[in-house]
Amino acid sequence: QVQLVESGGGLVQAGASLRLSCVASGRTFSSYAMGWWRQAPEKEREFIASIRGDGGGPVYADSVKGRITISRDNAKNTLYLQIDSLQPDDTAVYYCAQYRMTLPIAVPDFWGQGTQVTVLL
């Protein structure tokens, strides 16, 4: 059974940085692409970033490009998201997700419970 557990969210001031983590278990981590999504209050869940199973080919949404970095440590079964220059518009629940293959194609198969990020002016 696949489990994805996010951590690292919190309450921060605008301009701060955060690094979110997601620990995966249940199947061979390096065989699957991973991604980060977020959902703000009263908005639909939106894609932020994805990364191949081998750690290459990062893809970023235009809305956050330049401020975020996705990475993974396959030896630790962990996915990361570094977010810099946080703004109030970044306030959302951040979810990690695992795709069905090594490339981030289609909708992810599995989702974590999410970690809340709140950014204050």
Side-chain angles (χ1 to χ4, degrees):
Q1 181 180 357
V2 173
Q3 286 192 316
L4 304 173
V5 180
E6 303 96 334
S7 62
L11 182 66
V12 298
Q13 295 289 330
S17 298
L18 279 177
R19 188 174 82 154
L20 307 182
S21 300
C22 171
V23 178
S25 62
R27 56 185 188 178
T28 304
F29 184 64
S30 60
S31 295
Y32 300 94
M34 299 291 295
W36 286 98
W37 299 61
R38 69 183 181 185
Q39 187 167 18
E42 301 182 0
K43 292 188 177 180
E44 293 187 355
R45 191 173 297 189
E46 67 168 335
F47 167 81
I48 298 177
S50 64
I51 190 168
R52 294 194 318 240
D54 65 359
V59 177
Y60 300 104
D62 288 342
S63 60
V64 293
K65 193 176 293 184
R67 294 194 298 118
I68 69 167
T69 304
I70 187 171
S71 61
R72 62 191 295 163
D73 185 338
N74 287 344
K76 296 182 179 180
N77 289 354
T78 303
L79 176 73
Y80 301 101
L81 184 72
Q82 176 74 30
I83 317 173
D84 298 319
S85 301
L86 281 157
Q87 299 301 316
D89 284 350
D90 294 317
T91 295
V93 178
Y94 286 71
Y95 298 90
C96 77
Q98 189 173 74
Y99 290 82
R100 63 186 61 186
M101 57 191 298
T102 192
L103 298 176
I105 296 173
V107 179
D109 276 349
F110 298 99
W111 298 83
Q113 293 297 309
T115 185
Q116 175 72 47
V117 173
T118 303
V119 185
L120 303 177
L121 277 173

